[in-house]
């Protein structure tokens, strides 16, 4: 499988279990690795035979900005399902970063990483 990676997609969302997270929102950062066979696109130089990563980026941002969920695990799953709706994508790795998580000790980042593939 070939891989197309999108790193550092940023969007403001209102996800979390605490009222402040839901009310104020916070920035989430998403990294994606889309696995697919790029040979048909390369052979024909045809965008329709690969994944349009600009469209995927917009869809992922829409998910982050969309309906709030309690857990970043749920957010990651929703993002993965959006990515897998693209016909060329066979597998996706999703990393959701929550750098402003409500933790009382110093930290750099909180992430969840999931991998999902077509059945």
């Amino acid at each position: 499988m070939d891989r197309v990676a999108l790193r550092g997609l940023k969007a403001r969302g209102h996800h979390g279990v605490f009222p402040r997270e839901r009310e104020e929102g916070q920035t989430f950062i998403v990294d994606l690795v889309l696995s697919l066979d790029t040979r048909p696109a390369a052979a024909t130089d045809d965008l329709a035979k690969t994944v349009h990563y600009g469209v995927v980026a917009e869809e992922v941002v829409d998910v982050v900005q969309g309906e709030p969920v309690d857990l970043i695990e749920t957010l990651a799953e929703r993002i993965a399902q959006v990515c897998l709706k693209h016909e060329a994508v066979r597998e996706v790795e999703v990393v959701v970063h929550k750098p402003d998580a409500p933790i009382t000790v110093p930290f750099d980042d909180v992430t969840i990483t999931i991998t999902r593939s077509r059945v």
Side-chain angles (χ1 to χ4, degrees):
M1 286 286 189
D2 305 313
R3 295 181 307 274
V4 173
L6 289 90
R7 306 262 187 228
L9 296 171
K10 293 180 184 175
R12 190 160 188 83
H14 294 264
H15 311 289
V17 296
F18 297 112
R20 189 185 108 253
E21 293 179 291
R22 291 295 184 103
E23 293 165 9
E24 297 175 16
Q26 60 193 293
T27 299
F28 292 85
I29 302 165
V30 177
D31 302 324
L32 303 172
V33 178
L34 308 170
S35 297
L36 62 149
D37 182 357
T38 63
R39 289 176 291 195
T44 60
D45 200 30
D46 185 355
L47 177 60
K49 294 185 178 181
T50 188
V51 63
H52 191 310
Y53 51 80
V55 170
V56 171
E58 291 171 358
E59 292 171 349
V60 168
V61 166
D62 286 347
V63 171
V64 174
Q65 293 175 338
E67 180 184 347
V69 296
D70 288 344
L71 304 177
I72 59 174
E73 292 86 344
T74 306
L75 182 60
E77 185 67 35
R78 288 183 178 181
I79 291 168
Q81 294 310 312
V82 163
C83 294
L84 289 172
K85 286 182 181 178
H86 291 267
E87 186 176 335
V89 177
R90 294 287 160 232
E91 184 176 271
V92 61
E93 179 184 274
V94 177
V95 181
V96 175
H97 300 257
K98 190 175 178 179
D100 299 320
I103 297 175
T104 60
V105 297
F107 73 101
D108 289 330
D109 198 5
V110 172
T111 66
I112 176 86
T113 302
I114 66 169
T115 302
R116 299 292 182 265
S117 57
R118 291 184 184 276
V119 177

